[in-house]
Amino acid sequence: MTWVFGNATILGSGVCVADIQVTTGDRTFDCLRKLYPMDRNLIAGFAGNVATGFEMLAVLHHLMNAEKASSAEVANVRRIFKRFPAAAKQRYASLPAEHREGGSQLLIVGANHAADALYESRPEVARFTAPDFRCDEIPRGTWGSIGSGTGIDAYRKELAAITGDEGRQLMQLEVRQPGGYAKTMSFV
């Protein structure tokens, strides 16, 4: 079972959380990190075939390095969202059949500098799913997720409970501590 979920908060921060479970045959183990910081302004998590997940992270890393080399100190998240599908689709098509069997999904959470926004940050979240890796942008303030955990009602209900009206009270954690809401959500 895998569940990676993320949110671009209305406050200018992004939250991304993942489990560590991996399934081999009929056994499961809690041992695999599925969420990786890719740059100062971007984090990505994967679901599906593990080897393919790491391949897709490598594609993302390559795109980010090319982006940074040509234009800026950090990658532009919007441009990455635009360029990733073609590069991921090409790499995925070249993988052995056994690596494509489990499918592949990525959830990318990033932020671009925005002088007119709170904390001068505009967060973005998008989901990419094999085989075409079309960019499915998640609206700000909405949770997006990938993996088999997405379909488990108990998980969705728990996420709704901590992010609903009662959970919004956690916004007070931003007072004198930028990012306090995101940090608390990751702990919860």
Side-chain angles (χ1 to χ4, degrees):
M1 194 269 326
T2 293
W3 194 31
V4 180
F5 54 95
N7 179 315
T9 74
I10 59 173
L11 297 173
S13 59
V15 179
C16 195
V17 181
D19 70 278
I20 58 168
Q21 191 171 85
V22 64
T23 303
T24 59
D26 61 349
R27 298 184 64 193
T28 60
F29 303 94
D30 290 334
C31 64
L32 181 67
R33 182 175 161 194
K34 299 173 191 167
L35 191 59
Y36 292 86
M38 303 299 290
D39 203 353
R40 293 184 322 191
N41 66 325
L42 195 138
I43 191 165
F46 68 86
N49 182 288
V50 173
T52 303
F54 285 118
E55 288 283 344
M56 295 302 109
L57 290 175
V59 168
L60 179 60
H61 188 261
H62 176 74
L63 282 175
M64 287 179 29
N65 284 339
E67 169 82 16
K68 287 168 47 176
S70 67
S71 65
E73 188 177 316
V74 294
N76 181 293
V77 176
R78 303 294 302 161
R79 284 196 292 261
I80 293 295
F81 285 0
K82 188 174 182 176
R83 295 176 57 207
F84 182 73
K89 182 178 180 178
Q90 180 180 6
R91 181 66 185 122
Y92 185 78
S94 73
L95 294 174
E98 64 268 15
H99 287 212
R100 293 190 312 267
E101 276 180 21
S104 181
Q105 294 181 300
L106 255 70
L107 187 72
I108 302 174
V109 178
N112 285 321
H113 180 262
D116 63 339
L118 186 61
Y119 304 138
E120 296 188 6
S121 175
R122 185 155 292 114
E124 308 284 345
V125 177
R127 173 179 31 235
F128 301 86
T129 302
D132 62 357
F133 293 95
R134 179 183 56 84
C135 180
D136 177 19
E137 292 190 47
I138 310 300
R140 192 165 285 113
T142 302
W143 289 92
S145 63
I146 60 172
S148 57
T150 299
I152 298 175
D153 282 338
Y155 292 176
R156 287 196 318 254
K157 287 177 184 175
E158 188 64 28
L159 183 59
I162 64 172
T163 59
D165 290 336
E166 287 184 39
R168 284 189 183 83
Q169 294 174 12
L170 294 174
M171 295 289 188
Q172 296 173 10
L173 296 170
E174 291 293 313
V175 176
R176 286 188 244 135
Q177 186 179 345
Y181 171 75
K183 189 179 295 183
T184 301
M185 289 308 298
S186 70
F187 290 132
V188 172

